[in-house]
């Protein structure tokens, strides 16, 4: 399954429903996972354990963000959980996703759903915290900004291709 991508002043990735993360490697999570920078995401779903024991286990999205500096078109796309903590009200938008599957995952996320904030592109990759979706998907403004590394000249303001959403640390 291709890796979806998304960007927020940094980068994050969304892991697919098959639980495969970067480079197609299986992630070591007990629950399948799957909301803005370069992103790995998977749709929330119930595990087989929840079917057999009759209990609803929590489901989470996985939002992968690049915790260390990386330049894209001359712009540093780093965004770590520390960057999120420094934002007003510890809330930030997830912008710059330029992968159709990741975009669709962003659009599927609902208010109040939770996501693991995953650090990649760093010495110790892993889950760094938990975030909550606080705003439904809306057009990503960076697709129209010519000086932005996520500019997409084929996207039109009356029919935008790309979406973003907002999440909060909790």
């Amino acid at each position: 399954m291709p890796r979806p991508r998304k960007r927020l002043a940094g980068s994050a990735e969304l892991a697919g429903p098959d639980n495969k993360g970067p480079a197609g490697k299986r992630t070591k999570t007990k629950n399948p996972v799957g909301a803005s920078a370069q992103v790995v995401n998977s749709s929330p779903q119930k595990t087989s354990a929840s079917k057999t024991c009759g209990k609803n286990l929590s489901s989470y999205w996985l939002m992968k963000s690049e915790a260390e500096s990386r330049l894209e078109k001359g712009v540093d796309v780093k965004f770590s959980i520390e960057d999120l903590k420094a934002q007003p009200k510890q809330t930030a938008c997830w912008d710059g996703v330029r992968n159709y599957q990741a975009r669709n995952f962003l659009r599927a996320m609902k208010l109040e759903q939770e996501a693991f904030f995953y650090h990649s592109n760093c010495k110790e990759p892993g889950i760094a915290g938990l975030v909550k979706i606080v705003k439904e998907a809306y057009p990503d403004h960076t697709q129209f900004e010519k000086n932005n590394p996520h500019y997409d000249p084929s996207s039109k303001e009356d029919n935008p291709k790309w979406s973003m959403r907002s999440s909060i640390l909790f």
Side-chain angles (χ1 to χ4, degrees):
M1 165 179 263
R3 291 180 17 208
R5 305 258 175 186
K6 139 98 199 71
R7 311 259 176 201
L8 176 157
S11 177
E13 307 230 11
L14 306 170
D18 63 357
N19 253 2
K20 288 186 180 177
K25 296 179 183 174
R26 290 214 170 261
T27 57
K28 294 180 182 180
T29 56
K30 292 184 181 180
N31 294 331
V33 290
S36 297
Q38 189 173 28
V39 183
V40 178
N41 179 353
S42 116
S43 329
Q45 50 187 304
K46 294 179 184 173
T47 64
S48 59
S50 67
K51 294 175 186 173
T52 57
C53 69
K55 295 180 182 177
N56 282 335
L57 300 176
S58 296
S59 297
Y60 296 88
W61 293 95
L62 177 65
M63 299 176 68
K64 184 176 148 194
S65 181
E66 295 189 18
E68 294 183 4
S69 291
R70 183 176 69 82
L71 295 179
E72 185 170 305
K73 297 182 183 176
V75 176
D76 190 356
V77 293
K78 169 196 174 290
F79 194 83
S80 70
I81 198 154
E82 296 304 319
D83 295 312
L84 180 58
K85 288 177 183 178
Q87 297 294 311
K89 298 183 182 179
Q90 296 184 337
T91 303
C93 64
W94 289 86
D95 61 3
V97 175
R98 295 300 180 265
N99 175 286
Y100 289 104
Q101 185 172 11
R103 178 205 62 191
N104 293 342
F105 284 139
L106 289 174
R107 290 178 177 176
M109 294 177 190
K110 302 296 178 204
L111 287 177
E112 302 298 313
Q113 285 186 324
E114 297 174 351
F116 293 115
F117 192 107
Y118 184 90
H119 278 171
S120 67
N121 187 34
C122 58
K123 291 178 184 174
E124 293 185 37
I127 295 171
L130 200 56
V131 296
K132 187 179 289 189
I133 308 307
V134 296
K135 187 172 181 178
E136 294 284 331
Y138 53 100
D140 181 348
H141 60 88
T142 65
Q143 66 193 309
F144 308 118
E145 299 170 357
K146 291 182 180 179
N147 294 329
N148 192 292
H150 305 113
Y151 172 65
D152 182 351
S154 67
S155 189
K156 307 300 176 206
E157 292 199 37
D158 60 343
N159 188 20
K161 285 185 182 180
W162 308 108
S163 298
M164 58 195 257
R165 71 171 46 259
S166 297
S167 57
I168 187 170
L169 182 66
F170 72 100

